[in-house]
Amino acid sequence: MSIRTIENRACVAYGIKDVRHVNMPVSYSSEEQILVRVARGGICGSDIHYYQHARAGMSILKNPLVLGHEFIGVIQAVPPASSLKVGQRVAVNPSQPCNRCALCLEGKQNVCRSMKFMGSAQFNPHVDGGFCEYVAVSEAQCVPYADHASDQVMVFAEPLAVAIHAVHQAGDLVGKNVLITGAGPIGCLVIAAALNAGAAQVIATDMSPRCRELALQMGASMTVDPSDEAATASWAENGGYFDVCFEASGAPSAIASTASFTRPKGTVVQLGMGHNTVEMPLGLLLVKEIKLVGSFRFVDEFTTSVRWLESGRIDPLPLLSAEFAQGAVVEALELAGDKSLAAKVQLVFA
Ligand code: ZN
């Protein structure tokens, strides 16, 4: 096997409030791997958590970790007989399932117990991410897209795939009344994905006026401050108003409210993380036969996401708050971590 090593600069998390832009040569197999020159990355909640707390959920930072699982780039080198070409622009799927376990073989790679998701400290050694100049990935991770599509748009491929998977988890949305609780970047992308999947109406809630404004720009027909009980009271009448609720906030009060707001036989899709233990009115779930469904990452939805963005079917740009050069990763993380100021913050690699 021919291993090559090249110079590389990477955005690396070392600990709490300790992210550095450092030299970190990258090695790759020129016979097996695709070398991608990263063009742009999107900062996600988990990157912010690693920066602020040196952990994201149950994944604890034990060694330095290259951040980033939302990134796109240009192919720099391909192995012999690859169907990909040097110079091709690609969205990189950060999922690296084992492709051997029963779940993978059933097409459920997103719940593979051995998933090596890029930019994650879930396993030791950690799996480095894509916030660097060069990254070596497998051919299966690369989804090429047309030259006319903009980097700013295409780097939403990963979070939009999360949103499309959530819509997939909900089942048929045609003609349905849909509620999204939590209008951060993921909640807002679920709004657009649900409308694309045929939802008749999408309403969003968020405490933040800024997020509510973004929800309207992403297609919500109405937004509500969830603390305004007068505004939400009617949603719980007559057994509930919404056919489907996507819970994208992770806030305990929002999670509990979905049981009231969802109609009998309706579906609640849980997307928001943050609190592992919350109170849920199980009696309501039971007597209304509400389906409570988790949603985690994505499988084939990544390719769908690339196509929807490439074709302009979904415009994510209202969610883009700011962009920074890679060397300003700390400033970018600070801004991205302030939800009163920013939705999606992107890093530009050059
Ligand atoms: Zn597997």
Side-chain angles (χ1 to χ4, degrees), residues 247-259:
E247 205 301 298
S249 73
S253 58
I255 293 170
S257 74
T258 60

Side-chain angles (χ1 to χ4, degrees), residues 13-348:
Y14 287 84
I16 293 174
K17 293 272 179 175
D18 185 7
V19 168
R20 306 175 214 161
H21 184 233
V22 297
N23 287 318
M24 185 173 278
V26 61
S27 294
Y28 69 102
S29 161
S30 62
E31 287 168 19
E32 288 183 358
Q33 290 184 294
I34 310 290
L35 185 68
V36 174
R37 186 180 176 104
V38 177
R40 192 174 280 257
I43 293 175
C44 171
S46 66
D47 302 311
I48 297 166
H49 288 300
Y50 285 125
Y51 172 64
Q52 292 179 340
H53 311 297
R55 64 182 295 162
M58 284 169 283
S59 302
I60 297 164
L61 196 67
K62 297 193 177 74
N63 299 299
L65 171 73
V66 180
L67 293 174
H69 57 266
E70 303 177 6
F71 58 100
I72 55 164
V74 179
I75 292 181
Q76 198 76 11
V78 297
S82 171
S83 65
L84 297 169
K85 296 180 183 66
V86 171
Q88 225 167 8
R89 300 170 72 212
V90 289
V92 180
N93 184 339
S95 309
Q96 301 179 112
C98 79
N99 281 325
R100 289 192 298 270
C101 71
L103 289 162
C104 281
L105 296 177
E106 290 165 21
K108 301 163 185 163
Q109 289 93 336
N110 61 319
V111 287
C112 169
R113 306 290 297 161
S114 308
M115 166 71 82
K116 301 276 188 276
F117 201 79
M118 293 182 71
S120 166
Q122 183 186 356
F123 291 105
N124 255 326
H126 300 337
V127 184
D128 282 333
F131 287 176
C132 48
E133 289 172 318
Y134 293 97
V135 69
V137 296
S138 70
E139 180 149 352
Q141 290 178 261
C142 296
V143 180
Y145 56 84
D147 284 336
H148 66 74
S150 86
D151 287 352
Q152 287 175 325
V153 167
M154 296 312 297
V155 76
F156 279 91
E158 199 274 349
L160 179 60
V162 171
I164 298 173
H165 182 72
V167 163
H168 198 170
Q169 289 291 85
D172 186 5
L173 289 185
V174 174
K176 301 286 173 63
N177 284 325
V178 172
L179 176 68
I180 319 276
T181 54
I186 290 290
C188 282
L189 290 169
V190 173
I191 293 169
L195 289 167
N196 265 274
Q201 173 187 232
V202 177
I203 293 175
T205 63
D206 202 290
M207 309 278 271
S208 150
R210 233 189 104 266
C211 291
R212 293 200 298 274
E213 173 56 32
L214 289 177
L216 292 173
Q217 291 181 43
M218 292 304 292
S221 54
M222 184 176 113
T223 62
V224 170
D225 180 341
S227 63
D228 181 355
E229 285 175 24
T232 62
S234 67
W235 295 348
E237 289 170 5
N238 301 313
Y241 179 72
F242 295 98
D243 300 292
V244 177
C245 289
F246 292 94
E247 205 301 298
S249 73
S253 58
I255 293 170
S257 74
T258 60
S260 307
F261 297 160
T262 305
R263 295 178 71 209
K265 292 287 190 181
T267 300
V268 176
V269 180
Q270 184 64 39
L271 271 160
M273 284 200 190
H275 297 268
N276 257 332
T277 311
V278 294
E279 289 189 21
M280 188 69 171
L282 288 181
L284 282 178
L285 282 189
L286 185 155
V287 300
K288 288 159 71 172
E289 292 200 343
I290 291 170
K291 286 187 283 293
L292 176 58
V293 185
S295 187
F296 188 55
R297 296 177 180 158
F298 47 82
V299 189
D300 298 333
E301 294 91 348
F302 190 85
T303 306
T304 303
S305 172
V306 170
R307 297 294 160 248
W308 284 12
L309 291 168
E310 176 188 52
S311 65
R313 182 164 167 170
I314 283 182
D315 176 12
L317 289 185
L319 303 175
L320 176 56
S321 303
E323 52 185 63
F324 291 83
Q326 63 188 92
V329 59
V330 170
E331 290 89 332
L333 286 164
E334 284 288 338
L335 177 64
D338 187 341
K339 291 294 155 205
S340 69
L341 295 175
K344 185 60 73 181
V345 174
Q346 295 180 357
L347 287 171
V348 180

